[in-house]
Amino acid sequence: MDKSFFKQHISQQFNAELEDIIKQVMAMGGLVEQQLADAVHAMVEGDAELAEKVMTSDYEVNAKEVEIDEECTHILARRQPTASDLRLVIAVIKTITDLERMGDEAERVGRMGLHLLDEDRNSAPMSDIASMGEHVREMTRGALDAFARMDVEQAVRVAQLDIQIDSLYETVTHKLMRQMTAAPDSVPRLMDIVWATRSLERIGDRARNICEYVVYFVKGKDVRHTSYEQMAEQATGDRH
Amino acid sequence: MDKSFFKQHISQQFNAELEDIIKQVMAMGGLVEQQLADAVHAMVEGDAELAEKVMTSDYEVNAKEVEIDEECTHILARRQPTASDLRLVIAVIKTITDLERMGDEAERVGRMGLHLLDEDRNSAPMSDIASMGEHVREMTRGALDAFARMDVEQAVRVAQLDIQIDSLYETVTHKLMRQMTAAPDSVPRLMDIVWATRSLERIGDRARNICEYVVYFVKGKDVRHTSYEQMAEQATGDRH
């Protein structure tokens, strides 16, 4: 984030609190990003140990959410922020909710690493899933980066990556359904992969939410429930 | 909600604002509840007209979310609430996020009413799905009622209804998977029903979230990421 944002406060202490909260969101985001990378790797490679690690780290993510949430409430009560300070705190409260749910979805993906048999892994479109995982990870990283720097242009660009993820998701689920039809006995096991793919797709949706909060903070405009075009338009306009 | 909560404010205007915001949340909740009832009916009975109605009403739910969110931001900026007033506003901000997502899930269920063929409807475990829909609706109604009256005991009771919903969800998905295995050609169409069932299960999760915000508001305790037992324990303890 532009350093001048923090310099505008008379209270050094308030500056420090806001900077600290952004740092904490980044740390939480870093955990989720790692969880996501590990989860996809655990599933694609069948690494049970890594899958266990993903599951354990979810507690850490949950604890971070509660901690940051409390810190935000304290800031609201003590500092009674207005204007962009208030929008920042609200954007943080919303972002950590999405981050926590992204962690839950990553955990679901990781759990597949424990259940999946080698034969399922060989028959499923694992390279497509790995590629989808890579896109989702890139989008998550981009959304967090846009948040850290409160960069509206990047937020708009990153939000649009979701289109590609949705299209990969369609490809993978269609392949999986064709396989189920061809090998009905594999239905229950392939369904697990379907769930994991769905979780990846949902992580993309939530990364888009974070991009929307960046626009909300910087422009003061709520771009939820709008198209990509409308979002870009709002993001380039003046702050109202 | 206990009327005395509103009477504690010196400013009549502030009272009116808080009362108004609760009324608006209830109106939004009413919309979602109706959307959910219509969506399940549309899917189970194959009522395409009702399904269209569900889809149109989602715009209304989205608009309500943005409207209430703005109202909350204004209250935070203008009134700079502390203690229970602040917790109320935060609980509202979180509740409407969940309500909006519940509306999205209901829309997904409703969409099935448009796609589903009669033969699918006849082969799928529709009575189980209808029963699951009824439970989810009851839970949604209960969560909203607990929120309206900020009734902690009811919130704890309603949150536990999710156990039954999860169990019905397991039953329905297992039946659907067995059917897919037996009739592989039906896989793509039955998958649509699997998604709808998953959406219903998710609505239950989000109704539980709303119950958790009630405990947060009344007791000042964050009971997310805790077990049902811990939630009940926290809810009966003193406010800290």
Side-chain angles (χ1 to χ4, degrees):
Chain A
M1 189 184 299
D2 187 352
K3 278 280 167 199
S4 65
F5 174 75
F6 292 116
K7 293 218 180 89
Q8 69 185 283
H9 300 107
I10 295 159
S11 158
Q12 283 284 341
Q13 180 59 29
F14 187 18
N15 273 351
E17 283 173 17
L18 290 178
E19 284 199 53
D20 178 64
I21 224 156
I22 295 290
K23 258 188 223 148
Q24 284 195 63
V25 173
M26 286 307 116
M28 183 180 174
L31 280 175
V32 171
E33 208 190 308
Q34 189 59 50
Q35 213 184 0
L36 170 61
D38 289 346
V40 172
H41 190 86
M43 182 183 158
V44 173
E45 306 293 332
D47 186 332
E49 206 176 311
L50 199 58
E52 294 278 8
K53 190 189 143 202
V54 172
M55 260 152 276
T56 325
S57 63
D58 201 46
Y59 290 99
E60 257 179 279
V61 173
N62 293 348
K64 268 260 165 254
E65 186 203 7
V66 172
E67 199 184 311
I68 300 173
D69 223 352
E70 276 177 10
E71 191 51 41
C72 286
T73 312
H74 287 151
I75 288 184
L76 287 174
R78 256 197 332 258
R79 301 288 177 185
Q80 313 196 317
T82 56
S84 64
D85 294 340
L86 176 58
R87 287 206 306 278
L88 180 67
V89 177
I90 291 177
V92 167
I93 290 177
K94 288 179 186 275
T95 295
I96 57 174
T97 305
D98 280 293
L99 280 177
E100 189 272 324
R101 303 284 154 83
M102 285 159 89
D104 285 349
E105 300 288 359
E107 193 194 343
R108 283 194 190 98
V109 176
R111 202 175 293 145
M112 295 304 116
L114 290 177
H115 294 315
L116 225 54
L117 303 173
D118 283 340
E119 58 178 290
D120 302 325
R121 215 180 321 274
N122 294 336
S123 66
M126 276 302 172
S127 66
D128 288 331
I129 293 173
S131 151
M132 198 181 156
E134 198 36 67
H135 277 79
V136 173
R137 195 182 163 189
E138 189 193 325
M139 192 174 168
T140 303
R141 196 188 299 127
L144 286 167
D145 197 46
F147 191 89
R149 300 190 288 115
M150 288 297 166
D151 181 334
V152 176
E153 279 171 39
Q154 187 180 1
V156 171
R157 219 166 35 238
V158 171
Q160 295 185 352
L161 295 177
D162 203 29
I163 301 171
Q164 252 173 301
I165 292 171
D166 287 349
S167 140
L168 270 166
Y169 169 68
E170 290 295 324
T171 308
V172 173
T173 43
H174 278 115
K175 281 189 183 176
L176 286 167
M177 281 196 271
R178 271 206 300 279
Q179 264 177 277
M180 286 185 193
T181 312
D185 288 346
S186 68
V187 165
R189 282 153 17 225
L190 290 177
M191 274 301 288
D192 280 346
I193 306 183
V194 170
W195 293 134
T197 317
R198 175 76 152 201
S199 286
L200 287 177
E201 188 263 336
R202 284 292 166 90
I203 295 176
D205 289 347
R206 291 183 177 280
R208 183 191 158 154
N209 292 345
I210 295 177
C211 294
E212 292 172 351
Y213 307 144
V214 174
V215 178
Y216 164 75
F217 166 68
V218 179
K219 296 288 178 176
K221 287 170 186 166
D222 196 328
V223 290
R224 290 173 298 183
H225 319 304
T226 62
S227 67
Y228 292 107
E229 292 72 24
Q230 287 169 316
M231 183 180 176
E233 208 173 281
Q234 293 283 310
T236 48
D238 289 336
R239 190 183 298 179
H240 68 188
Chain B
M1 189 186 298
D2 186 352
K3 277 281 166 197
S4 65
F5 173 76
F6 292 114
K7 294 217 181 86
Q8 69 184 284
H9 300 107
I10 294 159
S11 158
Q12 284 284 342
Q13 181 58 27
F14 189 17
N15 274 352
E17 283 173 16
L18 291 178
E19 284 199 53
D20 177 63
I21 224 154
I22 296 289
K23 257 188 224 149
Q24 284 195 62
V25 174
M26 286 307 116
M28 183 181 173
L31 279 176
V32 171
E33 208 189 309
Q34 188 59 48
Q35 212 184 1
L36 170 61
D38 289 346
V40 173
H41 190 87
M43 182 185 159
V44 173
E45 304 294 332
D47 185 332
E49 207 176 311
L50 198 57
E52 293 278 8
K53 190 189 143 201
V54 172
M55 259 151 276
T56 325
S57 62
D58 201 45
Y59 290 99
E60 257 181 279
V61 172
N62 293 348
K64 268 259 167 257
E65 186 202 8
V66 173
E67 199 184 313
I68 300 173
D69 224 352
E70 276 178 10
E71 191 50 41
C72 286
T73 312
H74 286 151
I75 288 185
L76 287 174
R78 255 195 335 256
R79 301 287 177 186
Q80 313 196 318
T82 57
S84 64
D85 294 341
L86 177 57
R87 288 206 305 278
L88 180 67
V89 177
I90 291 177
V92 167
I93 290 177
K94 288 177 186 278
T95 295
I96 57 173
T97 305
D98 281 292
L99 280 177
E100 190 272 324
R101 304 283 155 85
M102 286 159 89
D104 285 348
E105 300 289 358
E107 194 195 342
R108 283 193 191 97
V109 176
R111 204 175 292 146
M112 295 304 116
L114 289 178
H115 295 314
L116 226 55
L117 303 173
D118 283 341
E119 56 177 292
D120 303 324
R121 216 179 322 275
N122 293 337
S123 65
M126 277 301 172
S127 65
D128 289 330
I129 294 172
S131 153
M132 197 181 156
E134 198 37 67
H135 277 78
V136 173
R137 196 183 162 187
E138 189 192 325
M139 190 173 169
T140 303
R141 198 188 297 125
L144 286 167
D145 196 46
F147 191 89
R149 300 189 288 116
M150 288 297 167
D151 182 334
V152 176
E153 280 171 37
Q154 187 181 0
V156 171
R157 217 164 41 237
V158 171
Q160 296 184 351
L161 294 178
D162 203 29
I163 301 170
Q164 251 173 301
I165 292 172
D166 286 349
S167 140
L168 270 166
Y169 169 68
E170 289 296 325
T171 308
V172 173
T173 44
H174 279 115
K175 281 189 184 177
L176 286 168
M177 282 197 272
R178 272 206 300 279
Q179 263 178 277
M180 287 185 195
T181 311
D185 287 346
S186 68
V187 165
R189 278 145 28 217
L190 289 177
M191 274 302 288
D192 279 346
I193 306 184
V194 170
W195 294 134
T197 317
R198 173 75 152 204
S199 286
L200 288 177
E201 188 264 335
R202 283 292 165 90
I203 296 176
D205 289 347
R206 291 184 176 278
R208 183 192 158 153
N209 291 346
I210 295 176
C211 294
E212 291 172 352
Y213 307 143
V214 173
V215 178
Y216 164 75
F217 166 68
V218 179
K219 295 288 177 177
K221 288 171 186 164
D222 195 327
V223 291
R224 289 172 300 180
H225 319 304
T226 62
S227 67
Y228 291 107
E229 291 73 23
Q230 286 169 316
M231 184 181 176
E233 209 173 280
Q234 293 283 311
T236 50
D238 289 336
R239 189 183 300 179
H240 69 189

